[in-house]
Amino acid sequence: MPRPRTFDEATVVANARQAFADTGFAGTSLDALLEATGLARQSLYNAFGGKKELFMRAFLSDTAEAVEAVEAVRHGSDHPITRMRAQLVKVAVASGAAQAPPSLLTRAVVELAAHDQQVASTVTAAFSAMREHYAACIADAQTAGEIDTAADADSLGAYFCAVIEGMGMLGASGATRATLLDIGLTSLAAVPVTDLGREHLGTDDGAWS
């Protein structure tokens, strides 16, 4: 009869996620992973299958959280255009000067996506979902009369996905909050915002044209 587990699986995955985000897949030895999770070697193999399998569990958790954060922007209660600005500001403040915890998504893209098909397909699916949520928010802003309806919502969704993820990577490399905020607000200024959109953004919050 198998012995009952004496650990919380979600906690183990969260601790593994942090370890992999800090030092990468190759840089996280099995011994370091055991220390981070508190598992015995055999317990790790029995519960997860091995280092790569635990990495993928942690990676899927990280990408799901990243997608959920963007989905929250899509379904917020504020005006769609102000939700987009809030996301840009949030990323700038959280990521500036390497303030944010390391991102396993970013780490995996740089280290593994080019030669690991499982990681690459997970990254592609995550970015596709984020792009779709941003595009939906743009479409909502068009319906609300805040963005010119002639603009391509899908293209703008991809644009914001690239800008925001790029801001996170720059922040991780040491770019300041002020630099990231300038990037974010400049990207918003490139969007064809209508007079109503500018009104919703507020005249005291920056130049939007």
Side-chain angles (χ1 to χ4, degrees), residues 26-27 62 64 78 80 92 122 138 170 190:
D62 190 83
D78 295 334
T122 302
I138 294 296
L170 286 172

Side-chain angles (χ1 to χ4, degrees), residues 33-201:
L33 196 55
L34 295 176
E35 182 178 356
T37 60
L39 292 179
R41 187 181 300 259
Q42 195 57 51
S43 294
L44 186 149
Y45 285 123
N46 289 343
F48 299 99
K51 174 182 171 181
K52 176 60 184 301
E53 290 80 5
L54 180 52
F55 171 83
M56 286 306 303
R57 284 285 301 277
F59 184 45
L60 288 168
S61 172
D62 190 83
T63 56
E65 186 175 296
V67 171
E68 287 169 6
V70 180
E71 187 174 10
V73 176
R74 174 182 180 178
H75 296 299
S77 58
D78 295 334
H79 295 298
I81 193 69
T82 59
R83 277 184 255 142
M84 295 299 300
R85 182 185 61 191
Q87 178 73 344
L88 291 163
V89 172
K90 177 182 175 181
V91 171
V93 171
S95 303
Q99 301 266 351
S103 164
L104 183 53
L105 175 56
T106 299
R107 176 80 71 172
V109 168
V110 173
E111 181 184 4
L112 298 173
H115 54 81
D116 187 308
Q117 185 55 47
Q118 189 178 16
V119 170
S121 61
T122 302
V123 169
T124 298
F127 282 139
S128 177
M130 287 189 280
R131 177 189 57 77
E132 288 174 5
H133 288 313
Y134 284 129
C137 194
I138 294 296
D140 286 346
Q142 290 176 308
T143 299
E146 298 171 333
I147 291 177
D148 190 336
T149 56
D152 188 321
D154 287 336
S155 294
L156 286 176
Y159 168 70
F160 275 111
C161 189
V163 169
I164 290 172
E165 293 306 309
M167 286 169 63
M169 293 187 72
L170 286 172
S173 70
T176 66
R177 288 177 173 177
T179 297
L180 297 184
L181 188 61
D182 183 56
I183 291 170
L185 296 184
T186 299
S187 72
L188 186 57
V191 175
V193 178
T194 65
D195 289 341
L196 180 62
R198 293 186 183 88
E199 180 182 329
H200 288 169
L201 286 168

